[in-house]
Amino acid sequence: MILRSGRILVVALLVAGCAAPESPRSSRDVEPFPPTAEVENLRLPFDAYTLSLAGLYIMANAQDVLTQECMAARGHDWEIIERPTDLKDLRNRRRYGVIEMSIAERFGFHVPAGLLTPLDVEQRYDRRDNALSESQQSAVFGADGCGREAATRLRPEKSADLDLLRKLDRASLDESQREQRVVVAMDAWRDCVRNLGFDYQDPFAAMSDPRWWADDAAAASSEEATASSEESTASSEERAVAVAVVRCEEQTDLVEVWHAAEVKIQEEEIRRHPDYFQDLRAATEAELAAAEAVLASSKLR
């Protein structure tokens, strides 16, 4: 398959749950949502063993080059999407829920388009995919399609077992919430939110409240849901709850304590599985090196 950024930030999007992207607001020339220092510091030990968004874009650029070569041999055109590869590593931006006040105030718990991946890249994907003819779609996405062929050519001889990493990653997030310092901070956060008039067990419970997503589900099933609005679809109540969540996170240092606990857990897992993480790093580096070699021989350097 052709790599698409919507499939990249696995953990971040998993935690974000049903937080569907909001409407477009700007191009990559002006960063629509500059990250806070807190967001930029949300690095986790496991991050060093997998590709960042920039790394995945290098892979996708190389896959596009190989796909174009294959499609040309089959008599088809294929547009190359030149993705930026100088992006900040913000993969954990939504790992602990909504933590940025500016986002909470405008979008509540929704993920505005451009927050997790560059908006213009997503728009180019859509334009390219929508313009494909039936024969082009078959040539690139079919069982023996050029997309699969390109991905195979970039795959290292020894692929990494990502299932174990995903399991450990999810476990570290769950286990961190049982650490004593996090329990204390979460209790303080819960009291803070209650004092502001809301009652949630944790930030995830507030974010997954079905009330925020009912309209999204209805819109997704409607044939009329094709046009984009530049305004947030979050209700005033949703935004009020999101603001309370972030305010209480700031007052209790919840995210800082939570992140520190998870860093410790992941470091312990790396020590517990040294061979696995060594193989994981080697496979990741080999995959990236293969992509860079393809790009080095093309115009996409």
Side-chain angles (χ1 to χ4, degrees):
M1 292 297 290
I2 303 300
L3 285 170
R4 177 157 186 161
S5 59
R7 301 172 55 200
I8 285 175
L9 302 179
V10 178
V11 175
L13 295 178
L14 173 65
V15 173
C18 44
E22 284 283 353
S23 57
R25 295 194 64 85
S26 67
S27 69
R28 64 179 284 197
D29 294 330
V30 178
E31 190 172 18
F33 308 106
T36 62
E38 180 182 35
V39 166
E40 292 195 21
N41 289 330
L42 287 182
R43 304 294 178 84
L44 289 167
F46 287 177
D47 295 349
Y49 298 88
T50 56
L51 294 174
S52 64
L53 179 58
L56 282 159
Y57 275 175
I58 291 174
M59 293 293 303
N61 286 343
Q63 192 169 333
D64 255 2
V65 169
L66 296 176
T67 299
Q68 186 182 65
E69 293 175 358
C70 173
M71 291 285 279
R74 300 185 187 190
H76 295 287
D77 292 330
W78 180 253
E79 177 192 352
I80 289 180
I81 297 174
E82 298 187 35
R83 306 157 187 83
T85 58
D86 57 351
L87 304 170
K88 295 177 181 177
D89 189 355
L90 306 176
R91 72 182 82 186
N92 300 312
R93 191 169 198 167
R94 299 281 288 205
R95 186 170 182 86
Y96 306 106
V98 177
I99 67 173
E100 296 165 274
M101 184 60 77
S102 61
I103 301 300
E105 290 173 340
R106 291 171 58 191
F107 300 98
F109 296 106
H110 283 70
V111 179
L115 183 71
L116 300 177
T117 57
L119 177 58
D120 67 316
V121 173
E122 294 300 324
Q123 292 172 329
R124 279 179 280 163
Y125 275 122
D126 291 338
R127 286 195 296 269
R128 182 178 69 182
D129 292 352
N130 291 335
L132 292 176
S133 67
E134 187 174 337
S135 60
Q136 285 176 311
Q137 290 180 29
S138 177
V140 70
F141 297 125
D144 61 344
C146 290
R148 185 182 297 274
E149 179 181 313
T152 299
R153 288 177 61 181
L154 291 174
R155 189 176 302 133
E157 281 188 29
K158 187 175 181 181
S159 298
D161 175 15
L162 293 178
D163 287 340
L164 177 57
L165 179 65
R166 283 190 281 268
K167 179 180 177 181
L168 293 175
D169 187 89
R170 183 76 239 186
S172 75
L173 184 62
D174 292 340
E175 185 180 340
S176 63
Q177 296 172 67
R178 296 190 290 272
E179 291 288 322
Q180 185 58 33
R181 287 189 62 202
V182 180
V183 170
V184 171
M186 193 73 78
D187 285 343
W189 176 89
R190 196 175 297 118
D191 290 340
C192 176
V193 169
R194 190 175 296 116
N195 289 336
L196 293 176
F198 307 105
D199 187 15
Y200 292 100
Q201 284 297 109
D202 55 47
F204 296 152
M207 182 170 61
S208 61
D209 190 322
R211 291 179 297 170
W212 319 143
W213 312 108
D215 290 343
D216 287 11
S221 62
S222 170
E223 293 182 359
E224 298 179 359
T226 56
S228 294
S229 165
E230 291 194 357
E231 299 301 321
S232 170
T233 60
S235 66
S236 58
E237 184 179 10
E238 177 188 338
R239 293 196 297 273
V241 173
V243 166
V245 164
V246 176
R247 180 170 294 134
C248 290
E249 287 170 345
E250 293 173 348
Q251 290 180 10
T252 61
D253 293 327
L254 174 60
V255 176
E256 180 181 352
V257 172
W258 196 349
H259 173 246
E262 194 171 14
V263 166
K264 180 180 178 181
I265 291 169
Q266 290 195 3
E267 288 174 344
E268 291 172 351
E269 289 295 346
I270 292 171
R271 288 193 292 270
R272 188 175 293 121
H273 305 280
D275 292 341
Y276 169 72
F277 279 96
Q278 183 176 341
D279 290 345
L280 188 62
R281 187 194 295 275
T284 299
E285 291 176 349
E287 196 172 24
L288 189 58
E292 290 175 334
V294 168
L295 296 176
S297 62
S298 77
K299 65 177 182 179
L300 293 181
R301 296 179 184 271

